[in-house]
Amino acid sequence: MSIRTRIAPSPTGDPHVGTAYVALFNYALAKKHGGQFLLRVEDTDRQRSNPASERMIFEALRWLGLQWDEGPDVGGPCGPYRQSERSEIYRHHAEMLIASGNAYPCFCTAERLTHLREEQKAAKATVMGYDGLCRTLSPAEARRRRDAGEAHVIRLAMPETESMTVQDLLRGELRFERPQMDDQVLLKSDGFPTYHLANVVDDHLMGISHVLRAEEWLSSLPKHFQLYRAFGWELPVFCHLPLLRNADRSKISKRKNPVSVMHYRRAGFLPEAMLNFLALMSFSMPNEQEEFSLEEFTRAFEMTGISLGGPVFDLEKLTWLNGRYLRRLTTEQMIDRLQQHLLSPAYLGEVIPLCRERIDTLEAFFDYASFFFVGEVKYDPTALAGLIPKGRTSVEVAGVLQAMLEQAIDPLLEWNAATVETAIKEHVAVCGWAPKELFMTVRFAATGRAATPPLFETLAVLGKEVCRRRLRAAAEALRTQK
RNA sequence: GUCCCCAUCGUCUAGUCGGCCUAGGACACCGCCCUUUCAAGGCGAUAACACGGGUUCGAAUCCCGUUGGGGACGCCA
């Protein structure tokens, strides 16, 4: 039997290092056995899915060298590979489950469910989740209400048995108690499937043999087992990878770590080093070799060699490893790498128009434009003072920067002068400052200087990752200054 | 709160059916060497089997409990 694996990202934000990490293991498993590695876009959340995010995810994965054999852009025999284009398939399968008594329509409103949750929480109920109200409806009654056009979802009817035993390759048999497994929504009222349905249907239809995914999915494993059983399908092998962690051991998050692959690319990490490091998180080579290529990793990879402790994503070690790779490059190779990014004609072509009118000699360019080429900028006492508008406190400024980061910057997927300007101007209203107060603070934070090219163009060229990083660093500098 | 997962140096880990472990490697830190500087590189030092019970001639390795950490409990994935 051929080995087929997949990475199934949801295009709702920046390409995440966790996605890259899981993709790497899936890629290695498939390639090791001469199988296929697929890319499937899970864009069933109509509110949050975004084409810009999808593009960035493709770009990030390609940058890392994790090329897929089948996917939305390269096609394949099991397409379409974008779930939003497979609605009919899910609807059909949901109906099959209703017909076999394994699913039922649920007419409960969002309000009722919210209430239910609140009551359960207030009562400190040991059993959370859907109470199964609509499961008691007679098929005829349900049919009539559906035909009448009443809004509803389709829920999975979990078996009434006491408990359920499921398999994870690394953990063996796992036993779940029935009360924990409520009747999960399969088809939303907008007709789109939830993860659970789409995932199981697609994995089956696409011939996925091994599902390597993040540990956060472990608790929904019983639902997925039940789905396979209800359809009468053969199970793939499930293998849950430990979650990447922040230094405090919580699940890795952008509040505490740069999590966008784009950040690492811009910061000058080499894709080979990045991959090598990601592999080291939970896997070690048979001979304890620490530096290895994707090919070497692929050859040596065994699922059973995966460690289960949640690894802390240690930037220092990644940086060290990257240095090792960098030093191994020849001068020509390094020139090439630099010209691919910071010194690319494309990037210089954006920077120069902003600077040319403000310099008189070529060499002045390097001094004037230096902040376009470094990572974090230094906040000397002047810059630090400049960050704080008259009459404001450093604590207040740090708070405003932090809030702007989360509310205005993070959600921005399209990053250009116009979108940045809109976002920041909107935040002026939110924070209640005068426009020029916020603009100057942002200017100092993003560049370390009082004099720069026009703010929004500058931020646009710097890119989201760099802006994020510097704004956060500025907030941090303000908090720690005496 | 309920359920599930996890548990070796600060961090990533080796330890694969108990003895070869006075627990090995790597990052970070510290020291020394090299060196006009800074790196890099070399050498060395500090540093861990969470705790308590079993099983056994013998446990980091097996079992149970405790503690700790994490995740899940959405018409998000």
Side-chain angles (χ1 to χ4, degrees):
Chain A
M1 190 188 81
S2 124
I3 300 238
R4 287 167 68 82
T5 64
R6 45 68 169 180
I7 181 71
S10 182
T12 53
D14 293 294
H16 200 278
V17 287
T19 303
Y21 162 72
V22 175
L24 170 63
F25 285 83
N26 276 285
Y27 174 93
L29 180 66
K31 293 299 158 185
K32 170 169 181 155
H33 297 97
Q36 294 83 42
F37 168 60
L38 335 201
L39 171 62
R40 182 174 72 224
V41 176
E42 308 227 332
D43 56 348
T44 55
D45 184 334
R46 290 200 293 177
Q47 270 74 48
R48 296 199 300 158
S49 291
N50 180 292
S53 169
E54 184 187 291
R55 277 197 306 279
M56 283 193 290
I57 290 169
F58 289 10
E59 201 179 325
L61 256 19
R62 285 217 167 87
W63 174 67
L64 287 167
L66 300 175
Q67 181 59 51
W68 45 100
D69 302 299
E70 299 171 28
D73 55 339
V74 299
C78 303
Y81 293 89
R82 206 176 267 117
Q83 291 185 330
S84 58
E85 296 165 14
R86 300 170 65 82
S87 294
E88 270 319 306
I89 298 173
Y90 308 123
R91 249 192 289 270
H92 169 68
H93 282 84
E95 291 303 331
M96 282 169 56
L97 291 179
I98 294 176
S100 63
N102 283 297
Y104 60 92
C106 168
F107 302 90
C108 292
T109 60
E111 292 72 53
R112 174 169 127 73
L113 296 177
T114 308
H115 264 133
L116 184 65
R117 255 192 300 278
E118 280 166 4
E119 276 171 23
Q120 288 170 339
K121 209 160 197 173
K124 291 197 163 45
T126 57
V127 180
M128 304 285 282
Y130 187 59
D131 58 3
L133 180 68
C134 293
R135 191 167 171 168
T136 61
L137 259 34
S138 72
E141 163 85 3
R143 183 77 257 165
R144 196 176 66 250
R145 288 173 72 174
R146 288 185 83 186
D147 290 344
E150 192 172 334
H152 64 280
V153 302
I154 306 298
R155 282 184 188 273
L156 175 65
M158 286 299 281
E160 307 280 4
T161 47
E162 276 297 295
S163 65
M164 195 166 173
T165 304
V166 297
Q167 294 283 338
D168 173 88
L169 183 84
L170 298 174
R171 287 158 257 255
E173 287 206 336
L174 308 177
R175 203 182 138 89
F176 288 81
E177 298 307 313
R178 155 70 213 183
Q180 271 315 112
M181 307 180 286
D182 68 330
D183 291 350
Q184 182 62 45
V185 171
L186 299 177
L187 212 59
K188 308 181 230 178
S189 56
D190 65 3
F192 275 71
T194 59
Y195 171 85
H196 306 283
L197 209 221
N199 186 264
V200 166
V201 168
D202 285 347
D203 280 347
H204 173 73
L205 262 25
M206 294 180 182
I208 300 302
S209 61
H210 297 255
V211 174
L212 272 64
R213 63 191 349 176
E215 190 176 1
E216 54 191 328
W217 294 111
L218 208 50
S219 53
S220 40
L221 198 48
K223 293 163 186 167
H224 301 164
F225 264 66
Q226 174 55 21
L227 240 13
Y228 278 96
R229 192 155 65 182
F231 281 122
W233 292 339
E234 193 185 335
L235 288 160
V237 173
F238 285 101
C239 175
H240 292 83
L241 270 21
L243 254 20
L244 260 23
R245 311 290 187 89
N246 295 312
D248 64 5
R249 297 212 166 270
S250 54
K251 176 164 92 167
I252 195 166
S253 65
K254 64 181 160 198
R255 268 303 287 273
K256 297 169 183 171
N257 257 306
V259 294
S260 170
V261 174
M262 295 315 198
H263 165 270
Y264 294 95
R265 183 174 75 168
R266 153 69 211 221
F269 287 90
L270 305 178
E272 306 91 308
M274 198 72 208
L275 242 25
N276 190 158
F277 176 71
L278 253 15
L280 249 19
M281 302 274 89
S282 84
F283 185 79
S284 65
M285 291 294 238
N287 59 357
E288 290 199 63
Q289 181 184 348
E290 291 226 283
E291 296 173 45
F292 46 81
S293 66
L294 179 57
E295 292 66 36
E296 289 173 293
F297 173 62
T298 296
R299 214 174 308 129
F301 179 64
E302 291 292 346
M303 283 186 288
T304 50
I306 295 170
S307 303
L308 294 178
V312 172
F313 190 90
D314 183 1
L315 264 176
E316 292 209 71
K317 187 152 183 177
L318 167 60
T319 304
W320 164 78
L321 192 59
N322 195 63
R324 300 274 303 177
Y325 274 81
L326 207 59
R327 271 167 237 127
R328 229 176 281 141
L329 296 179
T330 62
T331 299
E332 289 68 30
Q333 288 170 325
M334 205 177 292
I335 289 172
D336 184 55
R337 300 286 183 141
L338 281 167
Q339 288 182 338
Q340 282 173 27
H341 296 294
L342 288 176
L343 297 183
S344 69
Y347 187 60
L348 289 173
E350 291 185 83
V351 173
I352 289 171
L354 294 179
C355 302
R356 61 187 309 153
E357 293 179 55
R358 298 171 171 84
I359 58 173
D360 301 311
T361 61
L362 286 175
E363 76 174 0
F365 172 78
F366 297 97
D367 179 43
Y368 183 77
S370 63
F371 63 85
F372 280 112
F373 300 95
V374 298
E376 290 188 7
V377 292
K378 296 216 169 29
Y379 303 107
D380 58 30
T382 313
L384 221 40
L387 276 168
I388 307 170
K390 247 190 162 50
R392 307 281 180 190
T393 65
S394 56
V395 175
E396 186 184 0
V397 176
V400 166
L401 286 175
Q402 187 65 47
M404 188 177 85
L405 222 34
E406 287 168 26
Q407 296 160 28
I409 305 297
D410 280 343
L412 267 192
L413 288 173
E414 294 281 2
W415 187 267
N416 57 53
T419 58
V420 172
E421 178 167 0
T422 306
I424 293 181
K425 282 185 171 167
E426 277 172 10
H427 199 75
V428 167
V430 174
C431 73
W433 282 12
K436 72 173 177 185
E437 287 182 303
L438 186 62
F439 295 169
M440 208 56 190
T441 293
V442 171
R443 185 188 309 280
F444 267 111
T447 67
R449 304 188 187 185
T452 72
L455 183 61
F456 305 118
E457 280 88 335
T458 299
L459 297 179
V461 171
L462 282 171
K464 180 177 174 179
E465 295 311 327
V466 171
C467 290
R468 264 193 59 80
R469 198 164 19 144
R470 292 184 187 170
L471 261 35
R472 197 170 51 174
E476 192 54 37
L478 286 166
R479 286 199 193 93
T480 55
Q481 71 162 342
K482 287 157 280 223

